[in-house]
Amino acid sequence: MTTGTTPNGRLPHHRAEGPATAAALLLGPSLGTSTTLWDKVAPELSLTHRVVRWDLPGHGGSPADLIRPGATVGELAGLVLSLADSLGIGRFAYAGVSLGGAVGLHLAAHHPERVESLAVICSSAHFGGSAPWEERAARVRREGLGALADTANSRWFTPGYTVPALVADHRGADPGAYAACCDALAAFDIRDRLSSITAPTLLVAGREDPATPPAHLREIADAVPGAALTEIPGASHLAPAERPEAVLTALRAHFTERHSTGRHSTGGAKRGMEVRRQVLGDAHVDRAQARQTGFTARFQDFISRYAWGEIWTDDTLSRRERSLITMTALVAHGHDEELALHIRAARRNGLTPEEIGAALLQTAVYCGVPAANSAFAVAQRVLAEDAASHTTPGAVPDNSPDTAGQ
């Protein structure tokens, strides 16, 4: 890891981690914070990327005189481009929180040749009009940051949570530079340029965020072509600090996803989620997603990316064949709850009740009669529900449990 500014100090302070030859990923901060905001996320991302975190002017290690009153987000974006140039970085992926996210939107809209992909976290295309930020800037210039830092926890985190180092960053920021950043937020409104963004874009919302609630991220997602939105339960405004596992899962999937061009799978978490819904049904997947927590998020990403995004998308075998193999494996290991789920999936994949019965009869020979006996009982129940519902095959009410691995 390297840290520092350029020799003349005219660029933001930064921290660089990961292989120098890897694809570059720049991480932008929220107002009042520093590179510390990314402490629980950047080291993991640096396994696959050259990660560069940067500080806002007057925050962390950045000089305060990089910014003046009346500053704009465009000027901050210019500092980021100059930093990238100084490090020999041409195109880069970018993720930013709040003001850092606004910088990312500006870069993607005005400098598309530089931004390879974009993640905007707990941010907005406009920050509630100019008046609140003008008032905050005036207050900070008049009184300093002490009183505002005292309320940081309520603005940044869910009740009872804090990161003392980030609160200390807030208290230690230069008041003049902080106020100038408020000026930039007051003037920022990029709604009319969102439709021009071409970089693959991910929006990440903290479900408990009072500053930039999910509706702000949804507005961006609706306007940027092809953008995806994910909401993180239990996260407020500084999601990378409060729910790092969930943020890491979302960013890793977005920035490391690759699509092969051969006859095999298209791969990746996004494609995996599409296939997962096609095979298991929207109702089941929606419930599983709603129950996801920070603790289970990385495992959910693992399943979507590998089981569904690599294996189930490989067209060497048809989905009918994969259903037959999956049912056999579940019978062999006695996983009756998952078997019910995949019998429904088999119906969606075109298998008839007779074919399912024949597959289970085969398991009696190779997995044992007791295992097949239990499997037939599960199948009989599922197929009876199918018949009773008078719905299309596989569209039966899904009463199976939302197991973490499915």
Side-chain angles (χ1 to χ4, degrees):
M1 178 180 71
T2 62
T3 65
T5 60
T6 55
N8 62 10
R10 300 312 305 159
L11 292 174
H13 171 264
H14 70 278
R15 298 179 65 181
E17 302 158 88
T21 57
L25 169 57
L26 274 57
L27 302 179
S30 172
L31 178 65
T33 70
S34 73
T35 58
T36 301
L37 175 60
W38 295 100
D39 277 356
K40 296 181 180 179
V41 175
E44 291 285 340
L45 293 174
S46 70
L47 297 176
T48 55
H49 285 79
R50 179 188 183 187
V51 174
V52 179
R53 323 182 215 175
W54 59 276
D55 280 330
L56 289 163
H59 294 63
S62 285
D65 62 358
L66 292 177
I67 197 171
R68 293 286 189 271
T72 66
V73 168
E75 291 173 13
L76 293 173
L79 289 174
V80 172
L81 290 178
S82 295
L83 174 62
D85 291 342
S86 76
L87 297 173
I89 296 172
R91 285 175 61 79
F92 50 83
Y94 183 94
V97 180
S98 194
L99 178 53
V103 170
L105 287 170
H106 182 95
L107 288 168
H110 294 275
H111 302 278
E113 74 284 356
R114 302 296 296 270
V115 181
E116 193 166 72
S117 55
L118 173 67
V120 178
I121 304 169
C122 300
S123 189
S124 183
H126 60 98
F127 288 84
S130 61
W133 296 103
E134 291 169 351
E135 292 171 4
R136 184 184 293 194
R139 179 185 177 191
V140 170
R141 289 181 173 115
R142 184 175 63 250
E143 302 174 4
L145 282 164
L148 197 59
D150 289 340
T151 65
N153 283 330
S154 63
R155 291 181 284 113
W156 285 352
F157 305 114
T158 57
Y161 193 87
T162 187
V163 179
L166 289 175
V167 177
D169 282 338
H170 193 338
R171 198 176 301 278
D174 180 84
Y178 183 102
C181 288
C182 290
D183 293 340
L185 286 167
F188 183 71
D189 189 339
I190 202 169
R191 283 175 286 185
D192 63 340
R193 295 295 300 267
L194 293 177
S195 63
S196 70
I197 292 176
T198 57
T201 300
L202 171 69
L203 291 311
V204 179
R207 197 168 288 172
E208 313 301 325
D209 182 1
T212 53
H216 283 238
L217 284 300
R218 194 173 301 117
E219 180 181 36
I220 302 172
D222 288 343
V224 175
L229 169 66
T230 185
E231 294 184 20
I232 298 179
S236 186
H237 193 54
L238 299 189
E242 187 166 13
R243 291 291 181 268
E245 300 91 349
V247 171
L248 179 61
T249 294
L251 294 185
R252 185 188 287 118
H254 182 61
F255 289 129
T256 65
E257 184 172 304
R258 295 291 182 266
H259 299 278
S260 66
T261 57
R263 63 185 292 267
H264 297 294
S265 68
T266 56
K270 183 177 181 181
R271 175 60 178 151
M273 184 59 72
E274 293 173 357
V275 174
R276 184 179 176 187
R277 288 183 177 279
Q278 292 164 8
V279 174
L280 300 183
D282 286 335
H284 172 83
V285 176
D286 285 344
R287 288 199 305 274
Q289 290 292 98
R291 294 174 59 179
Q292 177 177 294
T293 66
F295 181 71
T296 64
R298 292 183 70 180
F299 183 64
Q300 286 286 329
D301 174 64
F302 171 81
I303 292 299
S304 292
R305 199 140 36 100
Y306 293 104
W308 296 105
E310 296 294 335
I311 302 303
W312 276 87
T313 56
D314 184 341
D315 60 10
T316 304
L317 299 175
S318 69
R319 289 190 187 174
R320 286 170 50 86
E321 292 167 327
R322 292 193 183 281
S323 280
L324 290 168
I325 294 168
T326 301
M327 287 190 296
T328 301
L330 293 172
V331 171
H333 287 276
H335 298 311
D336 289 348
E337 292 178 344
E338 288 84 356
L339 177 61
L341 179 65
H342 277 277
I343 287 172
R344 292 187 173 94
R347 295 288 282 131
R348 291 188 184 91
N349 287 338
L351 288 168
T352 67
E354 291 74 21
E355 289 171 323
I356 291 171
L360 297 183
L361 186 61
Q362 184 95 357
T363 67
V365 177
Y366 294 97
C367 300
V369 171
N373 184 57
S374 297
F376 267 102
V378 170
Q380 183 168 275
R381 171 176 59 81
V382 170
L383 296 173
E385 290 173 352
D386 190 346
S389 69
H390 299 292
T391 60
T392 56
V396 298
D398 185 358
N399 297 317
S400 56
D402 297 313
T403 52
Q406 301 295 338

